[in-house]
Amino acid sequence: MTSSAHTPSDSPPPIELTLLIPCFNEQCVLAQFHARLMAIVEQLKITTEVLYINDGSQDETAAIIDQYSLDGRTRSLHLNRNFGKEAAMRAGINEARGRAVIILDCDLQDPPELIPLMVQEWHKGFEIVNMQRRSRHCDPWLKRTTARLYYAVMDQLIDDFDVPREVSDFRLIGPNALAAIRAMDDNAGVLKILVSWLGYPTTEVNYDRKPRQAGTSKWSSRSLLNLGADSILAFSTRPLRMYSYLSGISFLLGSLWIAGVATFGELTPQHLLLQAILLLCLGTAVVGEYVGRVLMVVSPRPKSLCKREQP
Ligand code: UDP
Ligand code: MG
């Protein structure tokens, strides 16, 4: 008599690694990327799945990755619209079946050939393996400058933990870190900073970031600005504190001046009024940004919604 009950040998081996690839309008580069990726997957000694997240592409991306999904090792998840790379990565982390996840871009700027090295570092005991670019020589001047500014500002605003420089989203996230991220709200903050905040054993591996192989960058100046603002608003209240100090000093100096204890050269009541108005504007802007962030965090909306999933 045969039993229909599942035995351990019936169930597929647990997936060790998910390769998570967010893509938005990437039809030009996907074939090249997938070929190089699968060549590496073949060599890996651990069970691996490939998970494409289609972030609301309007070109042939959806059809292409659905085609790849027929191989049994690849899956695709389609978001309802373009929610942005952060949302796509978070959707992928929630969806991944592997014990660890490696996030990589599909424009071949993050070489898939480095995946075995990342796995090696994970197996040495590092929960997070950050890929750190050696230089930014292939980025345009504006991007290099804004990136430098971003790290300088983050250094000033965050003291509790280090934000590694020149590390973007190309990283391995181990099982404990994945569990911690999944337990948090979708709006817990920009992933690359959140991962540093977690405080798990982390290593940085240097690599040469290659130029995009086809297509164009999907990041507009506005989305970069939003990412920068979100990094600050989610992890530091120091701008609020700085504003409080500024207001306090201003109040003190103004009081001394009104009481006649001190004079400040040519300062007139009009100057004082102007300064009060400027401080009020600045305060409204700073506080307004934080209130906006609070509204986003308490909103019942998830970070993204998906249409359908390929089995
Ligand atoms: N991406 C995405 N959603 C977006 C923008 C980008 O999923 O709204 C994906 C994109 O397809 C690529 C990765 O994120 O796989 C990095 O994007 P891109 O190469 O445009 O960024 P850059 O390298 O210029 O910073
Ligand atoms: Mg790119």
Side-chain angles (χ1 to χ4, degrees), residues 12-307:
I15 297 170
E16 282 291 300
L17 180 66
T18 297
L19 303 173
L20 194 172
I21 305 120
C23 19
F24 175 49
N25 292 343
E26 298 286 9
Q27 63 178 19
C28 305
V29 77
L30 272 170
Q32 210 182 334
F33 171 78
H34 192 69
R36 263 174 67 182
L37 184 73
M38 293 321 272
I40 298 300
V41 171
E42 296 291 343
Q43 293 168 19
L44 290 175
K45 304 223 166 19
I46 52 176
T47 41
T48 304
E49 69 165 357
V50 175
L51 177 62
Y52 285 103
I53 309 294
N54 168 24
D55 186 17
S57 302
Q58 277 138 15
D59 63 0
E60 292 303 308
T61 296
I64 296 170
I65 60 178
D66 278 351
Q67 186 64 33
Y68 297 154
S69 304
L70 300 175
D71 73 359
R73 274 182 305 189
T74 306
R75 289 193 295 141
S76 51
L77 186 75
H78 301 270
L79 304 188
N80 278 359
R81 61 170 175 84
N82 178 236
F83 285 95
K85 187 184 178 190
E86 280 291 316
M89 290 188 295
R90 178 62 198 236
I93 285 177
N94 293 345
E95 182 57 38
R97 294 176 185 159
R99 287 181 61 232
V101 161
I102 290 180
I103 302 170
L104 68 168
D105 294 353
C106 65
D107 55 5
L108 288 165
Q109 290 201 266
D110 304 334
E113 291 73 19
L114 294 172
I115 292 170
L117 181 63
M118 299 169 82
V119 172
Q120 226 174 23
E121 293 297 310
W122 171 38
H123 287 164
K124 279 184 195 164
F126 291 108
E127 188 70 17
I128 306 289
V129 183
N130 285 327
M131 300 306 282
Q132 187 168 46
R133 60 180 89 181
R134 282 202 182 90
S135 80
R136 277 189 173 264
H137 63 263
C138 61
D139 279 349
W141 175 86
L142 186 65
K143 208 157 178 184
R144 285 202 305 268
T145 310
T146 47
R148 248 201 311 270
L149 190 69
Y150 175 82
Y151 290 114
V153 171
M154 294 314 287
D155 274 356
Q156 290 301 316
L157 296 183
I158 296 180
D159 317 306
D160 306 352
F161 57 95
D162 289 332
V163 178
R165 283 175 180 255
E166 304 306 341
V167 170
S168 60
D169 296 312
F170 187 22
R171 68 167 51 75
L172 181 147
I173 307 176
N176 298 312
L178 282 177
I181 295 169
R182 286 183 186 128
M184 283 180 214
D185 187 89
D186 266 15
N187 288 308
V190 174
L191 187 65
K192 68 175 180 175
I193 309 206
L194 183 63
V195 162
S196 302
W197 177 90
L198 293 173
Y200 283 108
T202 300
T203 186
E204 267 89 49
V205 176
N206 288 325
Y207 82 113
D208 291 313
R209 192 163 161 87
K210 303 282 183 271
R212 182 179 249 280
Q213 294 301 296
T216 52
S217 172
K218 306 300 179 300
W219 284 89
S220 62
S221 312
R222 203 180 64 180
S223 44
L224 281 173
L225 198 67
N226 285 345
L227 187 79
D230 212 31
S231 304
I232 297 171
L233 297 173
F235 293 97
S236 174
T237 51
R238 190 167 280 180
L240 286 173
R241 181 67 50 80
M242 278 156 51
Y243 176 73
S244 302
Y245 289 151
L246 198 64
S247 305
I249 292 168
S250 215
F251 178 80
L252 192 72
L253 294 179
S255 305
L256 291 176
W257 186 79
I258 288 169
V261 178
T263 52
F264 302 101
E266 300 294 306
L267 207 68
T268 64
Q270 282 85 353
H271 285 122
L272 209 61
L273 188 68
L274 190 66
Q275 182 202 330
I277 292 172
L278 287 176
L279 268 177
L280 200 66
C281 292
L282 182 67
T284 312
V286 174
V287 173
E289 285 296 325
Y290 279 95
V291 171
R293 165 90 197 146
V294 171
L295 285 178
M296 286 299 139
V297 172
V298 299
S299 147
R301 292 188 300 272
K303 213 170 168 70
S304 67
L305 281 176
C306 68
K307 271 186 204 153

